Amino acid sequence: MDLETLKSFEWSVMTPEFIILGVAALLTLLDLFLPKKMDRRILGWIGIVGILAAILSVASLLNVESTSILDDSFTFDAFGKSFKLILLVGSALVMFLAISYDAKEGMEDYRGEFYYLFLSALLGAMIMTSSGDLITLFIGLELLTVSSYILAGIRKHNLQSNESAMKYVINGGISTAITLFGMSYVYGLTGTTNLFEIANKLAAVTNGQQAYLLGLAFLMIFVGLSFKLAAAPFHMWAPDVYQGAPTPVTAFLSVISKSAGFVIVIRILISVFYNAAPTDNGEGILFKMHDYLAVIAAVTMIIGNVVALKQTNIKRLFAYSSIAHAGYILVALTTMSSNLLYSIWFYLLAYMLMNLGAFAVIQVVTEQAGSSKISDFAGLARRSPILAVLMGILLVSLAGFPGTAGFIGKLNIFVGAFYGTPHYVLAAIMIATTVISYFYYFGIMTQMFFRPASDERKLNIPFGIVVVLLVAVVGSILFGIMPNIALDFLNNLH
Amino acid sequence: MIFTGEFLAFMGLALVAIIGGVLLLNLNKVIHMVVALIFTFVAIAGIYVLLSAEFVAAVQILIYSGAITIIMLFGIMLTKHDDESEAKSGKWRKLFLFLGILGFAFAVYIGIYNFNVEQVPTKLHENNTLQIGEALYSKYIIPFELTSVLLLVALVGSIILAKNDKKKEADKE
């Protein structure tokens, strides 16, 4: 390959990635050369400007036909565009949270580092959305996870943060090893790392033994990636990590990192295994493994929702709630309905909005109280009525009530469960666990509206939090009432 | 099954690599663990040679068996290392773990014993380093550049987490 061929690729489709990379590099240098005394929040604002520029550049590239660079090592297709937008908008919101983050044992010394590690994690997630090569996907995944390990432990003098980072590193390392082992089997059986070539080669596999090994590889990759999704029974790390990490990082892990996990699961599992080693009636490995997926989805929903019931720490509660939400999305993955992509995309969009909004409120309340107990929410309605009402709307959306984005998201998945071969059991479990989830979401509501406050101080709400809450609440209601906007947007992508 | 020289060499190297790994987990002193690790590293380098990936083998020896081991030894030397490993976990847990590993090993064994891999002639042994270089700087340039970002992140991260804060020390004095 000579320089001419290298130049002939349309590198312009990578502009969003280049912007994020450039801003991360710029922040690193600025952090080095700015005077020590200067407030590092300015770097956060530069980061936000960078992310917004990246959003604009994705928006301007929306009409570009699917292109790929260097043997699909970077592919810019409708899938990548739509999920990249979710990741970027979510990251911009988390950045606003981070700028307003001011906990006691905070990260004063490492605020600058926080911003650019955050951008590098985002870069990894973006690469995962648009790559058609196992190696590039894996490096994107590692970039995301290595950055998140450090982010989780950035409050160096806080014991819980240390524990959180340590647990995350060990669990993450093991899960990466398992994923990589599975990928090595796929590579060994096909001799290529390009996802589309792999899919073509696997579609021709008829040998039973090869199919068996592919099944093993599928399970290993899925188990490894389930750690990233925090799906049960591989969810044990999530509550401890979410509790110990600084609130913006928790928000990041529960939204961006989880979305990126689903993106890579869809990329690898669906494109590689959908038609792999088909049986006589054309059912690929994914279909044969379908029962395992169903079990994991069901267990995730049940464990997430049931264990959330007895939590007293708000961050732990949201950790279990995020496990439960991963379970709902896994239902969509299991049923393989024709609206699979739309329902997962929409759910992640809705989940991003409502969860980040909820974390904005959690951050304000826990900072003021200095602890993260659920009882700190007592009397929020009297201390700050607006905040309580907004949190109420977000909780209703998380619980999945009609009129909110969370409802439409669940409805899409629920309806999808009856396409093709109906999955009555999964659909029933989904309904039952959703009802269970009302208990803990409304538990927070009772605290906010009906319990007397122990602390009557008014809450001051920083500007960043206002922005996040505004976007989250408006988005949750808008997509709840007019979900067609999102559907039309996705259908018009090409 | 035919016992060629290559097969015997592979068996030997694989055995050393696995034994090294198991010892690494079971030994009690840190220095012993490092020595076990060196065995694994060198054995893996030998497997690379069998696969005609000479360059990777050389790098494996230079970086893993050389540089990383030395850094680990320095780390051990400069830190408190008289701690021995923690108390053992429960008997039942160990049993279940063992059964799990056995089950997994059995599942993989069913898949690979008698597995017929089609031999495809390759040109990997000709100008091995040149081929790696060409692939790395043309077809795999995107992951290659991302790896450098990844290394930068790891570097920044290790500095943040390991740096001794001056302010705290000043407070103590």
Side-chain angles (χ1 to χ4, degrees), chain B:
Chain B
M1 209 173 280
I2 318 145
F3 283 91
T4 56
E6 196 184 347
F7 179 77
L8 285 179
F10 173 77
M11 279 319 254
L13 288 169
L15 214 61
V16 173
I18 292 172
I19 291 176
V22 172
L23 282 180
L24 168 72
L25 294 175
N26 284 325
L27 287 173
N28 281 332
K29 288 212 169 115
V30 198
I31 295 279
H32 295 174
M33 290 180 188
V34 174
V35 176
L37 197 60
I38 297 176
F39 273 101
T40 309
F41 284 154
V42 174
I44 288 175
I47 293 178
Y48 288 148
V49 174
L50 284 184
L51 296 169
S52 13
E54 290 90 0
F55 178 74
V56 184
V59 169
Q60 167 87 11
I61 297 274
L62 275 177
I63 296 183
Y64 282 90
S65 325
I68 290 189
T69 322
I70 298 286
I71 289 180
M72 277 184 169
L73 286 176
F74 266 104
I76 293 166
M77 210 169 73
L78 296 175
T79 49
K80 205 172 56 171
H81 60 276
D82 40 359
D83 304 342
E84 301 237 325
S85 51
E86 298 279 313
K88 302 258 171 5
S89 51
K91 218 188 243 169
W92 285 107
R93 194 173 149 180
K94 256 189 175 167
L95 185 72
F96 279 120
L97 217 58
F98 183 71
L99 285 180
I101 292 171
L102 216 62
F104 181 73
F106 181 67
V108 176
Y109 182 74
I110 298 177
I112 57 174
Y113 101 105
N114 255 343
F115 183 63
N116 217 353
V117 188
E118 223 177 298
Q119 297 275 341
V120 190
T122 57
K123 289 186 177 157
L124 279 179
H125 52 283
E126 296 169 10
N127 288 333
N128 184 260
T129 316
L130 180 73
Q131 285 187 47
I132 292 178
E134 276 181 350
L136 214 54
Y137 285 97
S138 55
K139 196 176 159 193
Y140 293 107
I141 189 79
I142 296 176
F144 180 70
E145 291 301 330
L146 281 173
T147 322
S148 57
V149 181
L150 179 63
L151 286 178
L152 187 69
V153 167
L155 194 68
V156 171
S158 53
I159 292 173
I160 297 178
L161 296 181
K163 199 173 90 181
N164 229 345
D165 280 339
K166 296 245 169 59
K167 209 169 73 186
K168 286 268 161 179
E169 280 180 10
D171 288 348
K172 276 182 199 161
E173 281 166 12

Side-chain angles (χ1 to χ4, degrees), chain A residues 64-121:
Chain A
V64 176
E65 293 286 323
S66 298
T67 6
S68 74
I69 299 178
L70 289 170
D71 272 346
D72 302 315
S73 139
F74 187 90
T75 48
F76 193 69
D77 48 10
F79 177 84
K81 288 175 206 168
S82 51
F83 281 94
K84 211 174 281 182
L85 273 181
I86 293 190
L87 293 176
L88 280 168
V89 174
S91 304
L93 295 181
V94 174
M95 211 61 167
F96 275 112
L97 285 185
I99 285 179
S100 327
Y101 183 67
D102 223 353
K104 272 164 209 148
E105 260 177 284
M107 43 190 190
E108 317 81 30
D109 301 342
Y110 300 107
R111 209 170 256 283
E113 281 85 350
F114 177 87
Y115 298 127
Y116 50 80
L117 285 176
F118 179 74
L119 287 181
S120 65

Side-chain angles (χ1 to χ4, degrees), chain A residues 211-224:
Chain A
Y212 177 82
L213 278 181
L214 276 175
L216 268 186
F218 173 87
L219 284 182
M220 279 191 272
I221 295 179
F222 186 67
V223 165

